[in-house]
């Protein structure tokens, strides 16, 4: 048994006056990407300068207006990268470059050297404030920890006087979630007073869940408590930087937004130390799925994945929200059936509002295709097979036929022991229904309609077990007449057509039609379907008759 007694619950803020549970997310926060700093430092093989440039350009394309590019005072590659952005004029005037530095004079001096020539900069200073780190890492009391933050603020303020661009200060009490709330407020207030409105830009207080230590509601309580106790609240931007140690980074972020957070720092797909930062794409897509503009250009997730995986040398998990290869995929038969019916209902209603079971958003809206929405294996059902045949190949199988063909595909899956891709499904359909020529093979048909009645006259050429047959007959329609013509040559045929469906397969001058024939063998009682395809609807229906005859003969 796990030795759970080694662990104790983390303290919970007593905050019964919380208001965030009654609120809703109504607009997107300011997004700050930390892919090039927090995300990059967590890579097995950190990005080189060229990869950093490619990632930076992707972030610009996605619409990030604040991008933390690294720790230029502590890393030569990050210093060189920043200078490359400056020298090659790669930073748009409406984008703020964020740089991280500890509260030490030599590091702040080097940081300002690195940012020279950038128009808009966020200088991000931090020091750890948690009870645990004060005791076991720094061996400092509260007053000494506050002095570090205040001294760092003063250094930035002094260096800013000779800087030609715009500086905005960001301060993070690192390990905020492990810090007593009164001390977190005390140190932020001390920084705020030292800054003393040094310029017209609001100070950013970034309250990171450096380590997730409790449930998301506790983080929301902490954020709301700070939100309500900041001095000069209108001069503060409340930012959050959630990590994902407990696997609840997205939930913690969304609840923190309810609690008053205005800004979110995170990474694409949640890369970062340990279990990662919050995945800003998931949070943004969640907003999008609720009809909220995320203010990010995230319509093509495949492009984002491609660049992310190339630069970070990390893969996006197959079940990762929105980005995973299988997240818009249903293997379950009941899920497939519901998706199939939902899409059909949407098309019939002509509604602009997306409402399809098991698909919270339209995959096409973020650059995904319909083809992989339903994937067929031994657990799939008739709805999934019908969905593939309809959305990928245009065959709208009658409801009564869907189970028959699904059984064919299920046997293939069980025999192969895995997934049956759409191409294999279509090949099975051709083999079972369209290409069978034994024992009956349709050849030619001539139809003459009577001017005096509804009867038609047919001249039919076909083969039966390889032997050439010719027959002439009359009936109350082409199918009835062909049925009689066949029986005149093959007396063993005793069939009844139960149902008939048809639809166009394509549009234009070369359009084809598909005809579905449900047929019963009167001698055995067996019922099956046949399918015919032709640009001539009469020929399509007769091919369907022959298709059904061959299936009955099996």
């Amino acid at each position: 048994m796990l030795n759970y007694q080694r662990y104790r619950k983390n303290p919970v803020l007593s905050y019964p006056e919380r208001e965030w549970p009654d609120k809703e997310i109504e607009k997107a926060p300011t997004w700050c990407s930390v892919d090039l700093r927090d995300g990059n430092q967590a890579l097995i093989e950190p990005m080189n300068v060229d990869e950093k440039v490619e990632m930076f350009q992707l972030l610009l394309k996605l619409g990030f207006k604040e991008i933390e590019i690294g720790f230029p005072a502590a890393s030569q590659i990050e210093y060189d990268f920043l200078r490359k952005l400056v020298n090659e004029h790669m930073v748009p005037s409406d984008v703020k470059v964020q740089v991280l530095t500890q509260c030490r004079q030599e590091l702040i001096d080097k940081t300002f050297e690195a940012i020279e020539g950038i128009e808009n900069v966020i200088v991000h200073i931090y020091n750890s404030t948690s009870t645990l780190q004060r005791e076991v890492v720094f061996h400092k009391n509260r007053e000494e920890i506050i002095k570090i933050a205040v001294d760092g603020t003063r250094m930035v303020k002094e260096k800013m006087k000779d800087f030609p661009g715009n500086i905005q200060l960001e301060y993070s009490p690192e390990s905020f979630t492990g810090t007593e709330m009164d001390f977190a407020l005390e140190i932020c207030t001390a920084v705020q007073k030292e800054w003393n409105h040094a310029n017209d830009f609001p100070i950013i207080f970034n309250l990171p869940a450096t380590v997730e230590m409790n449930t998301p509601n506790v983080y929301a309580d902490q954020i709301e408590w700070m939100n309500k106790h900041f001095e000069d609240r209108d001069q503060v931007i409340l930012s959050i930087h959630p990590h994902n140690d407990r696997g609840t980074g997205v939930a913690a972020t969304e609840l923190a937004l309810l609690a008053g957070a205005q800004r979110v720092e995170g990474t694409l797909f949640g890369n970062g130390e340990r279990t990662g930062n919050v995945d800003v794409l998931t949070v943004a897509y969640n907003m999008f799925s609720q009809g909220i503009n995320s203010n990010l250009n995230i319509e093509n997730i495949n492009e984002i994945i491609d660049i992310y995986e190339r630069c970070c040398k990390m893969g996006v998990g197959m079940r990762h929200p929105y980005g995973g290869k299988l997240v818009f995929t249903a293997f379950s038969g009941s899920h497939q059936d519901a998706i199939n019916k939902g899409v059909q209902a949407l098309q019939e209603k002509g509604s602009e509002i997306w409402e399809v079971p098991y698909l919270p958003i339209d995959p096409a809206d973020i650059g995904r295709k319909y083809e992989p929405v339903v994937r067929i294996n031994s657990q799939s059902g008739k709805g999934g097979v019908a969905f593939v045949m309809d959305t990928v190949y245009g065959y709208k199988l009658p409801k009564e036929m869907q189970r028959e063909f699904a059984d064919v595909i299920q046997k293939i899956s069980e025999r192969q022991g895995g997934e049956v891709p759409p191409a294999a499904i279509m090949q099975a359909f051709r083999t079972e229904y369209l290409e069978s020529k034994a024992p009956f093979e349709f050849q030619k048909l001539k139809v003459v309609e009577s001017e005096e009645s509804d009867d038609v006259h047919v001249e039919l050429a076909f083969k039966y077990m390889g032997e050439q047959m010719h027959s002439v007959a009359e009936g109350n329609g082409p199918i009835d007449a062909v049925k009689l013509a066949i029986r005149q040559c093959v007396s063993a045929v005793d069939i009844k057509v139960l149902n008939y469906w048809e639809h166009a397969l394509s549009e234009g001058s070369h359009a084809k039609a598909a005809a579905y024939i449900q047929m019963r063998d009167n001698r055995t009682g067996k019922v099956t379907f046949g399918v015919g395809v032709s640009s001539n609807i009469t020929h399509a229906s007769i091919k369907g008759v022959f298709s059904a005859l061959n299936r009955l003969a099996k």
Side-chain angles (χ1 to χ4, degrees):
M1 180 181 292
L2 288 173
N3 188 8
Y4 62 88
Q5 293 174 329
R6 292 188 65 199
Y7 303 93
R8 61 182 179 182
K9 291 183 178 179
N10 287 297
V12 175
L13 174 66
S14 178
Y15 185 56
E17 58 268 37
R18 66 182 62 85
E19 297 179 358
W20 61 261
D22 294 324
K23 297 183 179 180
E24 295 182 4
I25 296 175
E26 296 179 346
K27 64 178 182 179
T30 298
W31 305 103
C32 177
S33 162
V34 294
D35 290 86
L36 293 165
R37 199 275 300 172
D38 208 342
N40 183 60
Q41 76 183 37
L43 297 176
I44 297 173
E45 182 183 343
M47 288 179 263
N48 59 36
V49 171
D50 289 340
E51 289 166 341
K52 278 177 166 281
V53 168
E54 184 175 15
M55 179 62 75
F56 182 76
Q57 291 174 333
L58 171 65
L59 296 171
L60 293 179
K61 185 175 181 180
L62 296 180
F64 284 94
K65 299 302 181 183
E66 297 182 6
I67 302 172
E68 186 168 89
I69 58 87
F71 202 148
S75 168
Q76 188 61 45
I77 193 171
E78 291 180 5
Y79 183 94
D80 293 341
F81 167 60
L82 183 50
R83 296 315 304 162
K84 182 180 180 69
L85 296 182
V86 175
N87 295 332
E88 298 185 14
H89 309 288
M90 298 174 67
V91 182
S93 60
D94 63 341
V95 171
K96 296 177 182 178
V97 168
Q98 182 167 306
V99 287
L100 183 71
T101 180
Q102 292 172 323
C103 300
R104 289 159 43 191
Q105 188 67 62
E106 71 276 13
L107 295 179
I108 290 175
D109 289 345
K110 185 73 171 179
T111 298
F112 271 82
E113 178 185 318
I115 63 176
E116 184 178 348
I118 298 181
E119 183 177 350
N120 299 299
V121 184
I122 298 172
V123 177
H124 182 187
I125 61 174
Y126 72 99
N127 64 315
S128 191
T129 59
S130 71
T131 308
L132 182 62
Q133 292 218 38
R134 295 199 313 263
E135 292 178 355
V136 305
V137 179
F138 300 105
H139 306 290
K140 294 183 182 294
N141 59 31
R142 285 189 176 195
E143 290 72 23
E144 291 171 310
I145 295 294
I146 290 174
K147 185 177 186 303
I148 294 172
V150 171
D151 288 348
T153 304
R154 185 180 303 116
M155 295 171 197
V156 173
K157 189 165 61 171
E158 288 299 315
K159 294 294 295 185
M160 183 182 70
K161 293 178 182 178
D162 298 323
F163 186 75
N166 300 313
I167 295 291
Q168 188 168 18
L169 180 69
E170 175 176 345
Y171 173 68
S172 290
E174 191 199 4
S175 301
F176 164 77
T177 46
T179 303
E180 309 92 329
M181 286 298 97
D182 64 319
F183 181 52
L185 180 64
E186 183 181 359
I187 196 168
C188 287
T189 302
V191 167
Q192 191 174 14
K193 288 181 177 179
E194 175 60 39
W195 187 248
N196 193 26
H197 307 291
N199 57 23
D200 294 331
F201 297 100
I203 190 170
I204 300 171
F205 282 126
N206 187 53
L207 306 179
T210 310
V211 178
E212 268 201 313
M213 301 175 69
N214 220 311
T215 49
N217 61 295
V218 174
Y219 187 52
D221 281 351
Q222 293 172 323
I223 295 301
E224 185 176 296
W225 190 92
M226 293 290 288
N227 182 41
K228 289 186 175 181
H229 287 83
F230 279 130
E231 294 186 8
D232 295 332
R233 180 62 184 86
D234 60 334
Q235 294 299 312
V236 170
I237 294 174
L238 200 171
S239 175
I240 57 173
H241 182 114
H243 278 252
N244 196 44
D245 300 85
R246 293 169 56 91
T248 57
V250 168
T253 299
E254 293 180 330
L255 297 191
L257 290 173
L258 298 178
Q262 301 158 286
R263 181 178 184 267
V264 174
E265 293 188 348
T267 60
L268 306 180
F269 302 110
N271 183 38
E273 293 283 11
R274 305 179 308 280
T275 58
N277 293 66
V278 67
D279 177 0
V280 293
L281 290 176
T282 295
V283 179
Y285 283 127
N286 284 352
M287 291 180 181
F288 164 74
S289 73
Q290 301 299 305
I292 299 170
N293 185 356
S294 70
N295 295 326
L296 291 176
N297 305 317
I298 50 177
E299 296 88 351
N300 190 346
I301 198 167
N302 292 326
E303 179 187 21
I304 302 171
I305 292 171
D306 179 58
I307 296 175
Y308 168 83
E309 293 186 334
R310 183 167 59 253
C311 292
C312 298
K313 295 93 171 175
M314 293 180 66
V316 174
M318 298 185 77
R319 299 289 184 186
H320 193 102
Y322 301 100
K325 292 181 179 178
L326 296 181
V327 296
F328 295 118
T329 295
F331 287 103
S332 162
S334 61
H335 289 207
Q336 293 172 348
D337 185 58
I339 290 172
N340 186 22
K341 291 174 179 175
V343 171
Q344 289 179 353
L346 200 67
Q347 293 171 344
E348 290 170 0
K349 290 190 296 185
S351 173
E352 295 183 0
I353 303 300
W354 178 261
E355 290 180 310
V356 174
Y358 301 111
L359 291 178
I361 66 170
D362 183 347
D365 282 340
I366 63 171
R368 300 291 292 271
K369 294 182 178 179
Y370 272 120
E371 181 175 336
V373 166
V374 166
R375 306 276 284 271
I376 307 302
N377 63 14
S378 60
Q379 303 302 306
S380 304
K382 59 184 176 62
V385 175
F387 184 88
V388 171
M389 291 301 297
D390 184 3
T391 60
V392 182
Y393 299 107
Y395 287 87
K396 303 182 186 301
L397 305 188
K399 184 177 180 180
E400 293 84 347
M401 180 185 174
Q402 292 175 12
R403 170 51 59 196
E404 176 180 291
F405 185 49
D407 288 343
V408 172
I409 301 304
Q410 186 174 35
K411 290 176 183 177
I412 293 174
S413 178
E414 290 173 348
R415 185 168 63 249
Q416 296 177 347
E419 181 185 347
V420 184
I425 294 172
M426 185 62 212
Q427 183 54 53
F429 185 76
R430 293 191 188 97
T431 301
E432 289 287 328
Y433 296 100
L434 302 181
E435 297 174 353
S436 177
K437 296 182 179 179
F440 293 90
E441 181 182 352
F442 171 72
Q443 291 180 311
K444 292 182 180 181
L445 175 71
K446 181 179 180 181
V447 178
V448 178
E449 295 183 358
S450 170
E451 295 181 358
E452 299 177 356
S453 69
D454 293 333
D455 290 346
V456 297
H457 174 90
V458 300
E459 297 177 11
L460 177 66
F462 67 100
K463 286 184 178 180
Y464 177 66
M465 301 184 69
E467 183 179 350
Q468 188 67 53
M469 302 283 179
H470 294 276
S471 184
V472 176
E474 289 186 357
N476 59 11
I479 293 177
D480 182 60
V482 165
K483 182 179 70 172
L484 295 173
I486 294 172
R487 189 167 187 183
Q488 287 176 180
C489 298
V490 185
S491 60
V493 171
D494 184 8
I495 56 174
K496 181 177 181 179
V497 174
L498 302 177
N499 281 300
Y500 171 83
W501 300 263
E502 66 181 48
H503 66 80
L505 272 177
S506 57
E507 298 179 355
S509 58
H510 300 289
K512 289 187 176 182
Y516 307 88
I517 306 291
Q518 186 182 36
M519 185 182 291
R520 182 181 68 208
D521 186 328
N522 291 327
R523 299 188 179 189
T524 65
K526 180 180 178 181
V527 176
T528 193
F529 281 83
V531 184
V533 175
S534 175
S535 56
N536 182 307
I537 188 58
T538 300
H539 279 207
S541 61
I542 302 310
K543 286 182 177 181
V545 170
F546 276 80
S547 170
L549 281 170
N550 286 330
R551 288 187 55 77
L552 288 173
K554 285 187 177 181

